[in-house]
Amino acid sequence: MSDSSEHPAHAHPRLKQGKGRMEAISDGVFAVAMTLLVLDLAIPFTKGTRGDLLGALVHEWPGYLGFLVSFATIGAIWLGHNTMTEYLERVDPVLLRLNLLLLFFVCLLPFATGLLAEFMKAEGAERVASVSYGILLLLCSVLLSAVWRYAVRAKLVNPDLADDEISLLTTRLTPGLGGYVLLILLGVFFPKISVFGYLLVAVFLLLPFRPTLRRGDRRRR
Amino acid sequence: MSDSSEHPAHAHPRLKQGKGRMEAISDGVFAVAMTLLVLDLAIPFTKGTRGDLLGALVHEWPGYLGFLVSFATIGAIWLGHNTMTEYLERVDPVLLRLNLLLLFFVCLLPFATGLLAEFMKAEGAERVASVSYGILLLLCSVLLSAVWRYAVRAKLVNPDLADDEISLLTTRLTPGLGGYVLLILLGVFFPKISVFGYLLVAVFLLLPFRPTLRRGDRRRR
Amino acid sequence: MSDSSEHPAHAHPRLKQGKGRMEAISDGVFAVAMTLLVLDLAIPFTKGTRGDLLGALVHEWPGYLGFLVSFATIGAIWLGHNTMTEYLERVDPVLLRLNLLLLFFVCLLPFATGLLAEFMKAEGAERVASVSYGILLLLCSVLLSAVWRYAVRAKLVNPDLADDEISLLTTRLTPGLGGYVLLILLGVFFPKISVFGYLLVAVFLLLPFRPTLRRGDRRRR
Amino acid sequence: MSDSSEHPAHAHPRLKQGKGRMEAISDGVFAVAMTLLVLDLAIPFTKGTRGDLLGALVHEWPGYLGFLVSFATIGAIWLGHNTMTEYLERVDPVLLRLNLLLLFFVCLLPFATGLLAEFMKAEGAERVASVSYGILLLLCSVLLSAVWRYAVRAKLVNPDLADDEISLLTTRLTPGLGGYVLLILLGVFFPKISVFGYLLVAVFLLLPFRPTLRRGDRRRR
């Protein structure tokens, strides 16, 4: 590791390709995870009451809410991942593995979303479902942040980046860790309310009017 | 936003990569959504009558019709998205989020198609299934159109494009909004007929003999 | 159409990107279709006899045979598609739509494979399953061939290609049409035997020792 | 074959594109296989006891262990595939087919993982499930190794690679064949223990602190 950071740009020219495939596998997993979320919606209906479809659709609201939260969260992680790889100059073996760990937790999201939809209607079970869902969202956030922090420490990022730009990105790629911890605790007592909280965090992460835009101003000074 | 439009081509050179990943995640979602449509076909048969397979296949016609309409619609959206990104010079944070919203509705299409297949055979339920399917198709069209209109307004498109080319593309990327609204209303009274209507719209959107081809003539003048 | 063929290489420089996205959506659909085939294998076991797993695995042989044939066929189509796009210089609206039609039939393959696995054990049903499976394989082959023939006629292929190279490729990309027609007829009377026939065609299509290699000799003369 | 190796770099310039699509279909299959693993987790819960969700989650440990092992194994195969294609200069028809065979076994992994999760709780069945899972992992490893060995023999790798670098990579891309054979034998007698063994092999394959890093030192001498 320390060897390659002595020759930041030219030491391993081939590892630029490694970055391309890291993006390809990540985009693949993000796309499939987004689309698989919907499978957990489809299942309840096959056993549903045929007569009152509108009532059945309304009755299934926890499933739709979970789908919305999970889609928004995967979307926010994708946006963060996208921003991160824009500034990555090269990859190294540790980064590829940290990224695989992030994808591992993303792959679990459709399962956790299905659990949430299935058990939000049952007393007791909703607590376990909500807390384990929150822990998974937290782990995804921690890993996205860890990938970026490692990249900065191992000098894999674009050397033209100023220090304040890096710290700005570090802030952006640390999405709502505190918020998730609070919501997990809240979920022990009020499972349903915490899911709305996860939605709020996801919406907040997706809002584009944030520090990034100010970056442009800074650079021109 | 306003900053970057002052330096249209060079302000954020890195955001060209953002475009590549926007295409990658979109193609991934389109491909998975197309292929998942078929899962809703497979389910009814596992409980089906083993003896009369041909009869069972014929009996499941709403499922096949829904599969056909949804595949054709995703195909048409992909073609429009493809045309759009050909003319995109760069992306910005708002565009990436509008695109995610488009993908959100595309991800819901396999679910809505499954609903349609399941409930087209039941009185009453078919109305809700047909109308909600139509609303989803409308939302996909509106979002595809919104992504392009935003790109034009935020000056993200190729600066070489003439104004009449842009307005031609705007027309092309506004596929059958009026048609969808009419069919949704029709679906309240004649749910089955409206699904054939959605097929007609999809076929119309897929026909290649449209204004695009005339674009070539215009350019040479 | 005729306009663009007057300026073969420079008329629509942007359409080179269209080729990239045509490859991306195709590779996505091929990859998802290959992986979804396995879902039809998983279903029977969840209701299976827990005691005698080995016996259950052996009893499910039509499912495994179908999986093998479908995977080999999608693999052969991917190889042909790959060869074809290597020689494509640009794409046009008609080609993109023909390619979508090819992907439509590829998306149906996991469904047809599931039908085959489910109904190969029932008298009567196996005939319908085998014949419709064969018709689908035939349609995939016809479409792959049609995409290439259209590309040649619309002068979308690399202009450096000699006529004998083109006709060689046309032969290669017309995989076993005759074989499929014979096997579909055979399937009416001997459904199980015809599935082994489809496997033979797929193996034949996958064998690398074919005219392509001789192309190298020709060029050096 | 022998023809093209006489002109290593220029004989088939188009086959560089073939490499891009080989990577695209592989990344697609790896991403979908990773994400489909989770579907086998979701099934047991829909019939599960709604009251005691935590107990049900704990009871399903073989499913989670299998998911973990399979994800780690696919991740390790992806890393090896990634390293391999970095050094590939071009592809040839045989290499593409060997790669398809590797993808065939990767596609079977979600099915074998589901078998493992389903049958780990039943006497007798766990033996068949564990042994067939191990054989599949072994086949994936053998194929990854075979793709690389063929590429070296057919002179498809970067000609700048020194012989000791090639033999180092050959060692790296032969991941734990011996370990898998031992664990398959162990699985006949102690099925549950062997699954933990597969996890150990996967963790060992994923550890980044291995010969690769020393490669950098060698080059600089």
Side-chain angles (χ1 to χ4, degrees):
Chain A
M1 230 85 302
S2 55
D3 303 341
S4 55
S5 56
E6 293 171 23
H7 316 267
H10 311 290
H12 291 283
R14 287 188 202 96
L15 287 174
K16 296 233 175 177
Q17 188 201 338
K19 185 189 159 190
R21 290 200 68 181
M22 185 180 107
E23 291 177 3
I25 193 103
S26 305
D27 281 338
V29 167
F30 290 138
V32 182
M34 280 175 175
T35 331
L36 279 187
L37 288 171
V38 93
L39 283 189
D40 294 308
L41 295 184
I43 296 164
F45 285 93
T46 56
K47 311 154 194 155
T49 49
R50 284 175 165 258
D52 181 23
L53 179 55
L54 199 61
L57 282 168
V58 170
H59 187 248
E60 294 291 336
W61 70 267
Y64 303 120
L65 182 61
F67 174 65
L68 193 65
V69 177
S70 296
F71 191 96
T73 306
I74 297 178
I77 295 169
W78 177 75
L79 284 169
H81 199 270
N82 197 348
T83 307
M84 188 185 75
T85 57
E86 270 174 32
Y87 294 95
L88 263 187
E89 193 77 341
R90 6 175 230 112
V91 297
D92 76 6
V94 176
L95 193 87
L96 290 178
R97 281 151 179 93
L98 282 174
N99 190 61
L100 278 178
L101 198 57
L102 168 63
L103 298 183
F104 177 76
F105 293 122
V106 171
C107 281
L108 277 169
L109 266 177
F111 169 65
T113 309
L115 267 187
L116 202 70
E118 187 81 356
F119 289 97
M120 275 298 274
K121 288 169 284 181
E123 280 287 318
E126 59 180 12
R127 191 170 300 162
V128 182
S130 162
V131 168
S132 53
Y133 183 69
I135 290 173
L136 193 56
L137 294 182
L138 179 65
L139 286 169
C140 288
S141 283
V142 167
L143 256 296
L144 180 64
S145 179
V147 172
W148 173 248
R149 280 164 202 268
Y150 174 78
V152 172
R153 228 184 42 197
K155 301 210 169 84
L156 304 172
V157 297
N158 192 321
D160 301 344
L161 269 180
D163 280 356
D164 60 339
E165 283 186 299
I166 287 176
S167 64
L168 197 64
L169 272 164
T170 307
T171 312
R172 280 199 67 213
L173 290 166
T174 311
L177 296 189
Y180 284 133
V181 171
L182 280 177
L183 287 167
I184 291 166
L185 293 175
L186 186 73
V188 178
F189 304 102
F190 310 100
K192 273 172 191 147
I193 295 171
S194 70
V195 179
F196 286 97
Y198 297 131
L199 183 61
L200 275 183
V201 175
V203 167
F204 172 76
L205 294 174
L206 285 171
L207 283 182
F209 308 106
R210 283 189 303 147
T212 343
L213 301 180
R214 267 176 266 146
R215 201 182 51 201
D217 302 308
R218 252 173 233 191
R219 191 171 287 161
R220 274 184 294 132
R221 276 173 215 155
Chain B
M1 230 86 302
S2 57
D3 303 340
S4 56
S5 56
E6 294 171 23
H7 317 264
H10 311 290
H12 292 283
R14 287 187 202 97
L15 287 174
K16 296 234 176 176
Q17 188 201 339
K19 185 190 159 189
R21 289 201 67 182
M22 185 180 108
E23 291 177 4
I25 194 101
S26 305
D27 281 339
V29 167
F30 290 138
V32 182
M34 280 174 174
T35 331
L36 279 187
L37 289 170
V38 94
L39 283 189
D40 293 309
L41 295 183
I43 295 164
F45 284 94
T46 57
K47 313 154 194 158
T49 47
R50 285 174 164 260
D52 181 22
L53 179 55
L54 200 61
L57 283 168
V58 170
H59 186 248
E60 294 290 337
W61 69 266
Y64 304 121
L65 182 60
F67 174 65
L68 194 65
V69 177
S70 296
F71 191 96
T73 306
I74 297 178
I77 295 170
W78 177 76
L79 284 169
H81 199 270
N82 196 348
T83 307
M84 188 186 74
T85 58
E86 270 174 33
Y87 294 94
L88 262 188
E89 194 77 342
R90 17 183 216 106
V91 296
D92 76 5
V94 176
L95 193 87
L96 290 178
R97 281 149 179 94
L98 281 174
N99 190 62
L100 278 177
L101 198 56
L102 168 63
L103 297 183
F104 177 77
F105 293 123
V106 171
C107 281
L108 278 169
L109 266 177
F111 169 65
T113 310
L115 267 187
L116 202 70
E118 186 81 354
F119 291 97
M120 276 298 273
K121 288 168 282 182
E123 279 289 319
E126 60 181 12
R127 192 170 301 163
V128 183
S130 162
V131 169
S132 53
Y133 183 70
I135 290 174
L136 192 56
L137 295 182
L138 179 65
L139 285 170
C140 288
S141 283
V142 168
L143 256 296
L144 181 64
S145 179
V147 171
W148 173 249
R149 281 164 202 267
Y150 174 79
V152 172
R153 229 184 41 195
K155 300 209 169 85
L156 303 172
V157 298
N158 193 321
D160 300 344
L161 269 179
D163 280 356
D164 61 338
E165 283 187 298
I166 286 176
S167 64
L168 197 65
L169 271 163
T170 307
T171 312
R172 279 199 67 213
L173 291 166
T174 310
L177 296 190
Y180 283 133
V181 171
L182 281 177
L183 287 167
I184 291 166
L185 292 174
L186 186 74
V188 178
F189 305 102
F190 310 100
K192 273 174 190 144
I193 295 170
S194 70
V195 179
F196 286 97
Y198 296 131
L199 183 61
L200 276 182
V201 175
V203 167
F204 172 76
L205 294 174
L206 285 170
L207 283 182
F209 309 106
R210 283 188 304 147
T212 342
L213 300 179
R214 268 177 264 145
R215 201 183 48 198
D217 302 308
R218 253 175 232 190
R219 190 170 288 162
R220 273 184 296 132
R221 274 174 215 154
Chain C
M1 230 83 304
S2 56
D3 303 339
S4 55
S5 57
E6 292 171 23
H7 316 264
H10 310 292
H12 292 284
R14 288 188 201 95
L15 287 174
K16 296 232 174 176
Q17 188 201 338
K19 185 189 160 191
R21 290 200 68 181
M22 184 180 109
E23 291 178 4
I25 194 102
S26 305
D27 281 339
V29 167
F30 291 139
V32 182
M34 280 175 174
T35 331
L36 278 186
L37 288 170
V38 93
L39 282 188
D40 294 308
L41 295 183
I43 295 163
F45 284 94
T46 57
K47 313 154 195 157
T49 48
R50 287 175 162 256
D52 182 24
L53 180 55
L54 199 62
L57 283 168
V58 170
H59 187 248
E60 294 291 335
W61 70 266
Y64 303 121
L65 182 61
F67 173 65
L68 194 64
V69 177
S70 296
F71 191 96
T73 306
I74 297 178
I77 295 169
W78 176 77
L79 285 169
H81 199 271
N82 196 348
T83 306
M84 188 186 74
T85 58
E86 272 174 31
Y87 295 93
L88 261 188
E89 192 78 343
R90 13 184 219 104
V91 297
D92 76 5
V94 176
L95 193 86
L96 290 177
R97 280 150 179 92
L98 282 174
N99 191 60
L100 277 178
L101 198 57
L102 168 63
L103 297 183
F104 176 77
F105 293 122
V106 170
C107 281
L108 278 169
L109 266 177
F111 169 65
T113 309
L115 266 187
L116 202 70
E118 186 81 354
F119 291 96
M120 275 298 274
K121 289 167 284 183
E123 280 288 318
E126 60 181 13
R127 191 171 301 163
V128 183
S130 162
V131 168
S132 53
Y133 183 71
I135 290 173
L136 192 56
L137 294 181
L138 179 65
L139 286 169
C140 288
S141 283
V142 168
L143 256 295
L144 181 64
S145 178
V147 172
W148 172 250
R149 281 164 200 269
Y150 174 78
V152 172
R153 229 184 42 195
K155 300 210 171 82
L156 303 172
V157 298
N158 193 321
D160 300 344
L161 269 180
D163 279 357
D164 60 341
E165 282 186 300
I166 286 176
S167 65
L168 196 64
L169 271 163
T170 307
T171 313
R172 279 199 67 214
L173 291 166
T174 311
L177 296 189
Y180 284 133
V181 172
L182 280 178
L183 287 167
I184 291 166
L185 293 175
L186 186 73
V188 178
F189 305 102
F190 310 99
K192 274 173 190 145
I193 295 171
S194 71
V195 179
F196 286 97
Y198 296 131
L199 183 61
L200 276 182
V201 175
V203 167
F204 171 77
L205 293 174
L206 285 170
L207 283 181
F209 310 104
R210 283 187 306 147
T212 341
L213 301 179
R214 267 176 264 146
R215 202 183 48 199
D217 303 308
R218 251 173 232 189
R219 191 170 287 162
R220 273 184 296 132
R221 275 173 214 153
Chain D
M1 230 81 307
S2 56
D3 302 341
S4 55
S5 56
E6 292 171 25
H7 318 266
H10 312 290
H12 290 284
R14 288 189 201 95
L15 287 174
K16 296 232 175 178
Q17 188 201 338
K19 184 189 158 190
R21 290 200 68 181
M22 184 179 107
E23 291 177 4
I25 194 102
S26 305
D27 282 337
V29 168
F30 290 139
V32 183
M34 279 174 175
T35 331
L36 278 187
L37 288 171
V38 93
L39 282 189
D40 294 308
L41 295 184
I43 296 163
F45 285 93
T46 56
K47 312 154 194 156
T49 48
R50 286 176 162 255
D52 181 24
L53 179 55
L54 199 62
L57 284 168
V58 170
H59 186 247
E60 294 291 336
W61 70 267
Y64 302 121
L65 183 60
F67 173 65
L68 194 64
V69 177
S70 296
F71 192 96
T73 305
I74 298 177
I77 294 169
W78 177 76
L79 284 169
H81 200 270
N82 196 348
T83 307
M84 187 185 75
T85 58
E86 271 174 33
Y87 294 94
L88 262 188
E89 194 77 344
R90 18 187 213 101
V91 296
D92 76 5
V94 176
L95 193 85
L96 289 178
R97 280 150 179 93
L98 282 174
N99 191 60
L100 277 177
L101 197 58
L102 168 62
L103 297 183
F104 176 76
F105 293 123
V106 170
C107 281
L108 277 170
L109 266 177
F111 169 65
T113 309
L115 266 188
L116 202 70
E118 187 80 355
F119 290 97
M120 276 298 275
K121 289 170 282 182
E123 281 288 318
E126 58 180 12
R127 192 171 300 163
V128 183
S130 162
V131 168
S132 53
Y133 183 70
I135 290 172
L136 192 56
L137 294 182
L138 179 65
L139 286 169
C140 288
S141 283
V142 167
L143 255 295
L144 181 64
S145 178
V147 172
W148 172 251
R149 280 164 202 269
Y150 173 78
V152 172
R153 228 184 42 196
K155 300 210 170 82
L156 303 172
V157 297
N158 192 320
D160 300 344
L161 269 180
D163 280 356
D164 60 340
E165 283 187 298
I166 287 177
S167 65
L168 196 64
L169 271 164
T170 307
T171 312
R172 279 199 68 213
L173 290 166
T174 311
L177 296 189
Y180 283 133
V181 172
L182 281 176
L183 286 168
I184 291 165
L185 293 175
L186 186 73
V188 179
F189 304 102
F190 310 99
K192 273 174 191 146
I193 295 171
S194 71
V195 179
F196 286 97
Y198 296 132
L199 183 61
L200 275 182
V201 175
V203 167
F204 172 76
L205 294 174
L206 285 171
L207 282 181
F209 308 105
R210 284 188 304 148
T212 342
L213 301 180
R214 267 177 264 146
R215 202 182 49 200
D217 303 307
R218 253 173 231 189
R219 192 170 285 162
R220 274 183 297 131
R221 276 174 214 154

